[in-house]
C-alpha cells in the first residue's frame, strides 16, 4: 500500500495507528522499539470495502489495540481459538447461572472457565451484506482477517453465491493454513460435522457453505472444478495436511453405499467413489483414525503423530444425549485434551480451533436447556486447554461468531432457577415483600428465558397442538394463536425438552445481530479490549504469534516494520506451502 495514503479521520478509524513493529528480516525475534504508522485509506462505506481494505483496516485496529495495551513484544508459541457458535452474551449469562446451580452454589456470581480470563472485548459481527450474520462469513472473518458475505467460506465478497468460477483468485489465506506452511501443528475439532461452516472456514474455500460433500455440489460447480469441503480437508495442500481433525460428518468421507460402522441405516454419501477415510489412512500409515470414544481413549497420544476422528454420520450428539450413544462419543473437553497432547509434540508450536457447534443448533431449535448445557460443556473444553498448555506461551481466544434471539428477562429473585418460571416482582416499582410468582398482564406466569422468534411459538402447527411446545419441534407451518398464552402453572419449564415461548412463529429461531464477547488470556491477550471489528481477531493473533507473522511476511504481506498489512495471495501460499515438508514429530 503506498505510503502516500492518508490515515482515516477519527470519525472513521482514528488518527494514524502505531505499532511497535518486528523487523521483517528477523521475524522470530522480539519487536523493536520503533513505531510505524499503518495508513488505511478513507473510503465510502460500504461500497468502497474490499478484501484488501478489510485486511489493512483490521491490521491497523489490532496494532492500535496492542499499543494501547502495551502488549507489543508479547509472543505466543501456540494459538487456540475457541468458538462457541451462537454463544450470545445472554447465553453465557444463563449458562453460568445454570452451572452454579448444578454446583450447589450461587449461580449469579458463578464464573465459567473463560469468564475468569483477564482480558475481554466486544466483537462486531455484521457481514458485508447482512446486519445479522451467519456462521460462514463470520468465521471467515475470524480466520482470515477479512469480512465477507453470508454463506461464503474462505473467499472474498466479490463472487456471486455459488459462483465457482468467479471465486478463483478470491480465496483468502487462513490462520490454520499459515500455521501449516510455517511448520506448526494444526488442528480443528468440533461437535458438528467437520465440514460444517465453522470448521470448514479453517481450511476450506468455496462461495457456498452447503457444499460439504460432492453430492451437494451443483452441476455448474462440478464443471468449474469446485471441490467439496470433505475433499478439501483430505487434500489439504501442505504436506501432511491437518495434524488433528475431529468431529462428526463421517458419511461425507465414505463412498456412496458403504455401510457406516455404527448405524446400519447410514451409508456413505460420496458420488465420486472416493473413500476419503481410506485415503487418509494410506497417506498417514503412522496416523490414527478413530470413530468412537473407546478408540480415542485407547490411543497412546504421546506416540500419535496425526489423528482423524469422525464420531457420527452427521453432527455429534448433544451433550444431553451423549451418554446414551451406544458406540460412545468423546466430550468436547476430551477431544480438546487429546488434540493438544498430539499437537504440542511439534517443537514449532501449534494452531488449534475448537468449536462448540451445537450451542447454535439448540438455540435454533428454541431449546434453552440444551443450549446452556452445550455452553457449559464448551467451558469445560476451555478448562481442559488451560490444564494441557503453558500459559506463558499459549494465546487462547474464546469468542462467538454471532448472537441469537434468546432473552433473559423479568425480575426473578436471586437464586431462582434459570430455567424456571419467574418468581419475584412483576414490576421494578413493586413494594418489597416476599415475592411470589410474577405474572403477565393477563395474570399468567412466564419464564425467565424466552425467544424473540422460532419454533417455540405456542400457536398450533401440523406437528404439535396449540400450547407449550416440546423438543424436538420442527414445524412447516403454523396457525395463529387462538387461546392466548398457555398457563404454565402445571408445566415443568425446567424439563430438558421444554421449549421456551417464542414471540414470532418460525420454523427455526434466527441469529441476532448484536455484539458478542471476546475473552482472552496469554501472550498478546491484552490487545483484546474495547469494541473491535470481528476480523481484528485474526490480526491480533498473527501479530503476536511470530511464526504466523513470519509466514505472512514470506508471502509479501508485511510492511517495512514486519507488520502484516497487505492481503496475502492464496495461490502464492499454495505454491509455497506445497513445498513444505511435514514437520517430524
Amino acid at each position: 500500500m503506498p505510503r502516500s495514503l492518508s490515515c482515516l479521520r477519527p470519525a472513521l478509524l482514528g488518527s494514524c495507528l502505531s505499532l511497535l513493529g518486528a523487523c521483517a528480516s528477523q521475524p522470530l525475534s522480539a519487536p523493536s522499539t520503533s513505531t510505524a504508522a499503518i495508513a488505511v485509506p478513507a473510503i465510502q462505506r460500504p461500497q468502497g470495502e474490499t478484501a484488501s481494505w478489510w485486511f489493512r483496516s483490521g491490521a491497523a485496529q489490532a496494532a492500535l489495540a496492542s499499543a494501547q495495551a502495551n502488549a507489543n513484544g508479547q509472543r505466543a508459541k501456540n494459538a487456540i481459538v475457541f468458538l462457541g457458535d451462537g454463544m450470545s452474551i445472554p447465553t453465557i449469562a444463563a449458562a453460568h447461572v445454570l452451572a452454579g446451580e448444578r454446583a450447589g452454589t450461587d449461580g449469579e456470581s458463578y464464573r465459567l472457565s473463560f469468564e475468569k480470563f483477564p482480558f475481554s472485548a466486544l466483537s462486531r459481527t455484521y457481514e458485508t451484506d447482512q446486519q445479522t450474520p451467519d456462521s460462514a462469513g463470520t468465521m471467515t472473518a475470524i480466520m482470515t482477517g477479512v469480512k465477507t458475505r453470508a454463506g461464503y467460506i474462505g473467499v472474498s465478497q466479490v463472487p456471486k453465491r455459488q459462483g465457482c468460477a468467479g471465486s478463483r483468485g478470491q480465496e483468502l489465506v487462513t490462520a490454520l493454513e499459515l500455521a501449516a506452511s510455517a511448520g506448526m501443528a494444526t488442528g480443528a475439532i468440533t461437535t458438528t460435522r467437520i465440514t460444517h461452516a465453522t470448521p470448514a472456514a479453517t481450511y476450506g474455500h468455496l462461495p457456498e457453505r452447503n457444499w460439504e460433500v460432492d453430492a451437494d455440489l451443483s452441476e455448474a460447480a462440478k464443471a468449474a472444478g469446485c471441490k467439496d469441503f470433505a475433499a478439501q480437508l483430505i487434500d489439504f495442500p501442505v504436506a501432511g495436511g491437518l495434524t488433528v481433525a475431529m468431529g462428526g460428518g463421517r458419511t461425507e468421507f465414505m463412498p456412496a453405499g458403504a455401510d457406516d460402522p455404527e448405524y446400519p441405516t447410514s451409508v456413505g454419501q460420496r458420488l465420486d467413489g472416493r473413500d476419503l477415510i481410506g485415503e487418509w489412512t494410506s497417506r498417514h500409515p503412522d496416523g490414527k483414525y478413530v470413530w468412537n470414544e473407546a478408540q480415542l481413549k485407547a490411543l497412546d497420544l504421546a506416540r500419535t503423530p496425526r489423528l482423524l476422528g469422525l464420531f457420527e454420520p452427521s453432527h455429534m450428539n448433544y451433550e444431553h444425549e451423549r451418554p446414551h450413544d451406544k458406540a460412545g462419543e468423546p466430550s468436547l473437553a476430551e477431544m480438546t485434551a487429546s488434540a493438544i497432547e498430539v499437537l504440542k509434540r511439534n517443537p514449532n508450536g501449534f494452531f488449534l480451533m475448537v468449536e462448540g457447534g451445537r450451542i447454535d443448533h439448540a438455540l435454533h431449535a428454541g431449546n434453552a436447556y440444551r443450549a446452556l448445557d452445550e455452553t457449559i460443556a464448551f467451558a469445560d473444553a476451555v478448562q481442559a486447554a488451560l490444564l494441557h498448555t503453558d500459559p506463558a506461551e499459549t494465546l487462547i481466544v474464546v469468542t462467538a461468531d454471532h448472537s441469537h434471539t434468546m432473552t433473559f428477562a423479568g425480575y426473578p429473585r436471586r437464586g431462582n432457577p434459570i430455567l424456571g418460571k419467574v418468581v419475584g416482582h412483576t414490576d421494578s416499582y413493586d413494594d418489597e415483600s416476599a415475592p411470589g410468582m410474577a405474572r403477565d398482564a393477563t395474570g399468567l406466569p412466564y419464564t425467565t428465558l424466552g425467544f424473540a422468534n422460532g419454533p417455540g411459538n405456542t400457536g398450533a402447527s401440523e406437528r404439535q397442538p396449540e400450547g407449550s411446545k416440546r423438543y424436538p419441534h420442527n414445524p412447516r407451518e403454523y396457525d395463529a394463536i387462538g387461546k392466548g398464552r398457555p398457563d404454565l402453572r402445571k408445566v415443568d419449564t425446567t424439563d430438558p425438552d421444554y421449549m421456551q415461548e417464542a414471540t414470532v412463529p418460525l420454523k427455526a429461531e434466527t441469529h441476532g445481530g448484536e455484539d458478542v464477547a471476546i475473552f482472552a488470556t496469554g501472550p498478546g491477550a491484552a490487545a483484546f479490549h474495547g469494541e473491535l471489528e470481528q476480523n481484528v481477531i485474526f490480526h491480533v493473533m498473527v501479530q503476536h504469534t511470530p511464526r504466523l507473522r513470519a509466514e505472512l511476511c514470506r508471502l509479501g504481506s508485511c510492511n517495512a516494520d514486519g507488520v502484516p498489512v497487505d492481503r496475502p495471495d492464496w495461490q502464492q501460499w499454495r505454491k509455497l506451502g506445497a513445498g513444505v515438508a511435514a514437520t517430524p514429530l
Side-chain angles (χ1 to χ4, degrees):
M1 188 69 68
R3 290 183 178 273
S4 59
L5 288 173
S6 62
C7 292
L8 287 175
R9 295 184 297 277
L12 295 176
L13 181 65
S15 58
C16 291
L17 307 176
S18 296
L19 170 72
L20 301 179
C23 178
S25 63
Q26 295 179 327
L28 299 184
S29 64
S32 69
T33 57
S34 64
T35 60
I38 299 177
V40 180
I43 61 170
Q44 291 294 319
R45 301 186 67 182
Q47 59 268 29
E49 297 167 355
T50 65
S52 294
W53 183 89
W54 279 116
F55 194 91
R56 178 171 283 264
S57 174
Q61 291 179 55
L64 176 62
S66 294
Q68 290 172 332
N70 295 316
N72 293 311
Q74 296 180 8
R75 296 172 294 162
K77 177 181 179 181
N78 314 308
I80 306 177
V81 175
F82 278 91
L83 197 288
D85 200 311
M87 190 177 69
S88 64
I89 292 175
T91 302
I92 295 171
H96 74 227
V97 175
L98 180 61
E101 291 173 4
R102 290 177 173 179
T105 188
D106 174 39
E108 291 79 10
S109 66
Y110 190 86
R111 289 176 180 263
L112 300 172
S113 58
F114 55 85
E115 292 182 294
K116 301 174 186 177
F117 283 9
F119 303 102
S120 62
L122 294 174
S123 169
R124 289 192 176 191
T125 65
Y126 65 91
E127 292 164 315
T128 61
D129 62 334
Q130 291 189 178
Q131 289 179 343
T132 299
D134 86 321
S135 295
T138 51
M139 192 57 177
T140 294
I142 294 170
M143 283 294 107
T144 69
V146 174
K147 287 205 177 196
T148 189
R149 298 176 60 175
Y152 286 30
I153 299 284
V155 295
S156 80
Q157 66 200 58
V158 171
K160 293 181 178 179
R161 188 157 182 175
Q162 299 192 355
C164 180
S167 67
R168 296 287 190 270
Q170 299 301 320
E171 299 94 343
L172 304 169
V173 181
T174 74
L176 185 145
E177 289 174 331
L178 291 170
S181 59
M184 300 169 70
T186 58
I189 61 179
T190 178
T191 51
T192 69
R193 294 187 295 268
I194 193 66
T195 54
H196 210 233
T198 297
T202 67
Y203 62 82
H205 306 274
L206 284 174
E208 176 51 69
R209 61 173 290 171
N210 295 317
W211 289 345
E212 297 185 47
V213 63
D214 68 317
D216 295 335
L217 291 171
S218 65
E219 291 304 318
K222 292 178 182 178
C226 266
K227 185 184 292 187
D228 61 277
F229 290 125
Q232 288 190 43
L233 174 60
I234 299 303
D235 296 337
F236 191 76
V238 176
L242 274 69
T243 313
V244 176
M246 288 191 284
R250 189 166 54 224
T251 55
E252 295 178 340
F253 294 79
M254 297 162 49
D259 292 333
D260 184 79
E262 185 177 2
Y263 302 98
T265 57
S266 294
V267 295
Q269 301 182 54
R270 301 202 63 81
L271 301 180
D272 57 8
R274 293 183 68 181
D275 175 5
L276 297 182
I277 297 172
E279 290 182 27
W280 186 90
T281 55
S282 295
R283 293 177 191 178
H284 309 295
D286 57 348
K288 300 296 182 182
Y289 166 68
V290 295
W291 60 268
N292 61 53
E293 182 180 26
Q295 292 174 346
L296 179 62
K297 288 184 174 181
L299 294 178
D300 181 354
L301 297 173
R303 299 177 181 273
T304 302
R306 296 192 181 275
L307 176 58
L308 174 64
L310 299 172
F311 300 106
E312 284 290 323
S314 184
H315 302 304
M316 294 179 67
N317 284 305
Y318 283 113
E319 182 68 15
H320 181 59
E321 280 87 24
R322 186 175 65 83
H324 307 295
D325 184 75
K326 292 183 179 179
E329 282 185 21
S331 67
L332 186 60
E334 289 172 328
M335 289 193 290
T336 299
S338 298
I340 291 173
E341 287 304 303
V342 174
L343 296 173
K344 70 183 185 182
R345 299 177 64 225
N346 189 317
N348 295 331
F350 64 82
F351 177 87
L352 172 64
M353 190 288 296
V354 180
E355 183 198 20
R358 306 226 64 190
I359 301 169
D360 174 76
H361 293 173
L363 291 167
H364 278 307
N367 180 238
Y369 179 91
R370 284 172 175 78
L372 306 189
D373 197 43
E374 291 295 308
T375 303
I376 294 169
F378 176 75
D380 291 342
V382 176
Q383 183 62 33
L386 293 171
L387 293 174
H388 287 263
T389 55
D390 182 348
E393 61 183 24
T394 305
L395 171 61
I396 300 179
V397 181
V398 179
T399 189
D401 45 358
H402 54 74
S403 182
H404 270 272
T405 74
M406 193 183 80
T407 59
F408 188 149
Y411 297 102
R413 67 182 179 185
R414 187 80 174 261
N416 200 61
I418 191 64
L419 293 166
K421 296 176 276 287
V422 174
V423 173
H425 299 305
T426 298
D427 190 287
S428 61
Y429 293 99
D430 286 352
D431 292 334
E432 287 293 331
S433 62
M437 187 88 64
R439 299 179 184 275
D440 69 11
T442 69
L444 295 174
Y446 53 92
T447 56
T448 302
L449 303 181
F451 288 91
N453 58 45
N457 183 270
T458 59
S461 74
E462 85 285 2
R463 303 281 178 135
Q464 295 187 28
E466 182 168 344
S468 297
K469 297 299 186 288
R470 299 277 298 174
Y471 175 88
H473 181 222
N474 302 299
R476 293 189 298 272
E477 53 189 44
Y478 263 104
D479 291 333
I481 297 173
K483 301 177 183 178
R485 290 191 58 244
D487 187 345
L488 299 180
R489 284 177 293 182
K490 296 183 179 180
V491 176
D492 181 7
T493 62
T494 66
D495 186 290
D497 291 337
Y498 173 77
M499 292 175 60
Q500 285 69 25
E501 292 177 54
T503 304
V504 177
L506 290 177
K507 297 175 182 178
E509 181 264 359
T510 72
H511 296 169
E514 70 268 27
D515 290 358
V516 296
I518 306 170
F519 303 89
T521 188
F528 290 106
H529 61 90
E531 187 186 45
L532 304 173
E533 293 285 2
Q534 194 165 47
N535 61 308
V536 175
I537 296 172
F538 167 90
H539 291 279
V540 172
M541 289 191 297
V542 299
Q543 288 178 14
H544 291 277
T545 308
R547 283 192 172 272
L548 298 181
R549 188 180 71 241
E551 195 62 10
L552 282 166
C553 290
R554 192 166 76 106
L555 292 170
S557 172
C558 295
N559 62 14
D561 299 288
V563 184
V565 296
D566 293 325
R567 172 196 162 196
D569 180 81
W570 185 78
Q571 291 294 344
Q572 183 185 11
W573 168 83
R574 185 183 176 93
K575 291 177 182 177
L576 292 175
V580 175
T583 303
L585 300 178

